[in-house]
mmCIF file of all heavy atoms in Angstrom:
data_model
loop_
_atom_site.group_PDB
_atom_site.id
_atom_site.type_symbol
_atom_site.label_atom_id
_atom_site.label_comp_id
_atom_site.label_asym_id
_atom_site.label_seq_id
_atom_site.Cartn_x
_atom_site.Cartn_y
_atom_site.Cartn_z
ATOM 1 N N ALA A 485 32.403 60.800 -8.016
ATOM 2 C CA ALA A 485 33.902 60.849 -8.455
ATOM 3 C C ALA A 485 34.062 61.842 -9.552
ATOM 4 O O ALA A 485 35.109 62.442 -9.720
ATOM 5 C CB ALA A 485 34.233 59.377 -9.051
ATOM 6 N N TYR A 486 33.034 62.042 -10.459
ATOM 7 C CA TYR A 486 33.159 62.977 -11.589
ATOM 8 C C TYR A 486 33.137 64.379 -10.949
ATOM 9 O O TYR A 486 33.890 65.360 -11.475
ATOM 10 C CB TYR A 486 32.085 62.676 -12.618
ATOM 11 C CG TYR A 486 32.526 61.727 -13.662
ATOM 12 C CD1 TYR A 486 32.708 60.390 -13.400
ATOM 13 C CD2 TYR A 486 32.823 62.022 -15.025
ATOM 14 C CE1 TYR A 486 33.097 59.527 -14.373
ATOM 15 C CE2 TYR A 486 33.168 61.247 -15.948
ATOM 16 C CZ TYR A 486 33.289 59.875 -15.607
ATOM 17 O OH TYR A 486 33.747 59.006 -16.648
ATOM 18 N N LYS A 487 32.315 64.498 -10.056
ATOM 19 C CA LYS A 487 32.048 65.877 -9.506
ATOM 20 C C LYS A 487 33.237 66.365 -8.803
ATOM 21 O O LYS A 487 33.655 67.638 -8.930
ATOM 22 C CB LYS A 487 30.882 65.994 -8.464
ATOM 23 C CG LYS A 487 29.468 65.756 -9.086
ATOM 24 C CD LYS A 487 28.448 65.778 -8.083
ATOM 25 C CE LYS A 487 27.117 65.683 -8.698
ATOM 26 N NZ LYS A 487 25.976 65.620 -7.679
ATOM 27 N N VAL A 488 34.017 65.619 -8.151
ATOM 28 C CA VAL A 488 35.296 65.809 -7.624
ATOM 29 C C VAL A 488 36.337 66.238 -8.506
ATOM 30 O O VAL A 488 37.266 67.097 -8.426
ATOM 31 C CB VAL A 488 35.707 64.708 -6.704
ATOM 32 C CG1 VAL A 488 37.198 64.967 -6.207
ATOM 33 C CG2 VAL A 488 34.803 64.502 -5.523
ATOM 34 N N ALA A 489 36.323 65.555 -9.731
ATOM 35 C CA ALA A 489 37.375 65.691 -10.735
ATOM 36 C C ALA A 489 37.160 66.942 -11.575
ATOM 37 O O ALA A 489 38.135 67.329 -12.422
ATOM 38 C CB ALA A 489 37.400 64.447 -11.661
ATOM 39 N N ILE A 490 35.962 67.546 -11.658
ATOM 40 C CA ILE A 490 35.756 68.708 -12.390
ATOM 41 C C ILE A 490 36.242 70.020 -11.656
ATOM 42 O O ILE A 490 35.840 70.343 -10.719
ATOM 43 C CB ILE A 490 34.238 68.929 -12.665
ATOM 44 C CG1 ILE A 490 33.634 67.564 -13.244
ATOM 45 C CG2 ILE A 490 33.865 70.086 -13.606
ATOM 46 C CD1 ILE A 490 34.365 67.220 -14.673
ATOM 47 N N PRO A 491 37.254 70.713 -12.256
ATOM 48 C CA PRO A 491 37.764 71.912 -11.650
ATOM 49 C C PRO A 491 36.644 72.995 -11.535
ATOM 50 O O PRO A 491 35.783 72.941 -12.642
ATOM 51 C CB PRO A 491 38.912 72.299 -12.573
ATOM 52 C CG PRO A 491 39.349 71.019 -13.334
ATOM 53 C CD PRO A 491 38.088 70.282 -13.510
ATOM 54 N N VAL A 492 36.714 73.830 -10.624
ATOM 55 C CA VAL A 492 35.723 74.873 -10.560
ATOM 56 C C VAL A 492 36.060 75.920 -11.655
ATOM 57 O O VAL A 492 37.271 76.499 -11.728
ATOM 58 C CB VAL A 492 35.748 75.517 -9.160
ATOM 59 C CG1 VAL A 492 34.698 76.767 -9.189
ATOM 60 C CG2 VAL A 492 35.432 74.534 -8.140
ATOM 61 N N PRO A 493 35.039 76.298 -12.533
ATOM 62 C CA PRO A 493 35.364 77.278 -13.666
ATOM 63 C C PRO A 493 35.829 78.660 -12.978
ATOM 64 O O PRO A 493 35.196 79.010 -12.011
ATOM 65 C CB PRO A 493 34.039 77.412 -14.333
ATOM 66 C CG PRO A 493 33.328 76.164 -14.050
ATOM 67 C CD PRO A 493 33.743 75.691 -12.704
ATOM 68 N N LYS A 494 36.800 79.219 -13.615
ATOM 69 C CA LYS A 494 37.183 80.540 -13.159
ATOM 70 C C LYS A 494 36.168 81.623 -13.556
ATOM 71 O O LYS A 494 35.571 81.509 -14.527
ATOM 72 C CB LYS A 494 38.559 80.869 -13.777
ATOM 73 C CG LYS A 494 39.694 79.991 -13.390
ATOM 74 C CD LYS A 494 40.987 80.445 -13.949
ATOM 75 C CE LYS A 494 42.189 79.574 -13.670
ATOM 76 N NZ LYS A 494 43.393 79.825 -14.282
ATOM 77 N N GLN A 495 36.059 82.612 -12.584
ATOM 78 C CA GLN A 495 35.133 83.659 -12.977
ATOM 79 C C GLN A 495 35.902 84.761 -13.845
ATOM 80 O O GLN A 495 37.056 84.694 -14.034
ATOM 81 C CB GLN A 495 34.819 84.328 -11.563
ATOM 82 C CG GLN A 495 34.039 83.511 -10.633
ATOM 83 C CD GLN A 495 32.798 82.915 -11.194
ATOM 84 O OE1 GLN A 495 31.990 83.611 -11.770
ATOM 85 N NE2 GLN A 495 32.527 81.706 -10.862
ATOM 86 N N ARG A 496 35.089 85.504 -14.511
ATOM 87 C CA ARG A 496 35.701 86.542 -15.408
ATOM 88 C C ARG A 496 36.648 87.347 -14.576
ATOM 89 O O ARG A 496 36.317 87.786 -13.442
ATOM 90 C CB ARG A 496 34.528 87.324 -16.018
ATOM 91 C CG ARG A 496 33.733 86.636 -17.094
ATOM 92 C CD ARG A 496 32.752 87.522 -17.717
ATOM 93 N NE ARG A 496 32.013 86.792 -18.742
ATOM 94 C CZ ARG A 496 31.054 87.479 -19.448
ATOM 95 N NH1 ARG A 496 30.797 88.817 -19.325
ATOM 96 N NH2 ARG A 496 30.426 86.807 -20.401
ATOM 97 N N GLY A 497 37.752 87.615 -15.304
ATOM 98 C CA GLY A 497 38.761 88.426 -14.579
ATOM 99 C C GLY A 497 39.953 87.552 -13.896
ATOM 100 O O GLY A 497 40.936 88.048 -13.746
ATOM 101 N N GLU A 498 39.438 86.362 -13.588
ATOM 102 C CA GLU A 498 40.357 85.486 -12.845
ATOM 103 C C GLU A 498 41.359 84.835 -13.980
ATOM 104 O O GLU A 498 42.448 84.485 -13.527
ATOM 105 C CB GLU A 498 39.731 84.367 -12.071
ATOM 106 C CG GLU A 498 38.844 84.881 -10.905
ATOM 107 C CD GLU A 498 38.172 83.867 -10.183
ATOM 108 O OE1 GLU A 498 38.416 82.604 -10.571
ATOM 109 O OE2 GLU A 498 37.587 84.125 -9.222
ATOM 110 N N GLU A 499 40.942 84.645 -15.146
ATOM 111 C CA GLU A 499 41.726 83.906 -16.120
ATOM 112 C C GLU A 499 43.103 84.608 -16.399
ATOM 113 O O GLU A 499 44.067 84.000 -16.735
ATOM 114 C CB GLU A 499 40.910 83.749 -17.453
ATOM 115 C CG GLU A 499 39.638 82.932 -17.125
ATOM 116 C CD GLU A 499 38.973 82.693 -18.492
ATOM 117 O OE1 GLU A 499 39.476 83.108 -19.450
ATOM 118 O OE2 GLU A 499 37.924 82.112 -18.435
ATOM 119 N N ASN A 500 43.143 85.938 -16.313
ATOM 120 C CA ASN A 500 44.358 86.695 -16.567
ATOM 121 C C ASN A 500 45.142 87.022 -15.354
ATOM 122 O O ASN A 500 46.176 87.693 -15.411
ATOM 123 C CB ASN A 500 43.987 88.137 -17.189
ATOM 124 C CG ASN A 500 43.249 87.778 -18.526
ATOM 125 O OD1 ASN A 500 43.574 86.955 -19.309
ATOM 126 N ND2 ASN A 500 42.279 88.776 -18.850
#
Side-chain angles (χ1 to χ4, degrees):
Y486 271 71
K487 290 179 179 180
V488 170
I490 304 298
V492 177
K494 294 180 180 179
Q495 300 299 318
R496 287 186 179 180
E498 293 181 359
E499 297 182 7
N500 296 325

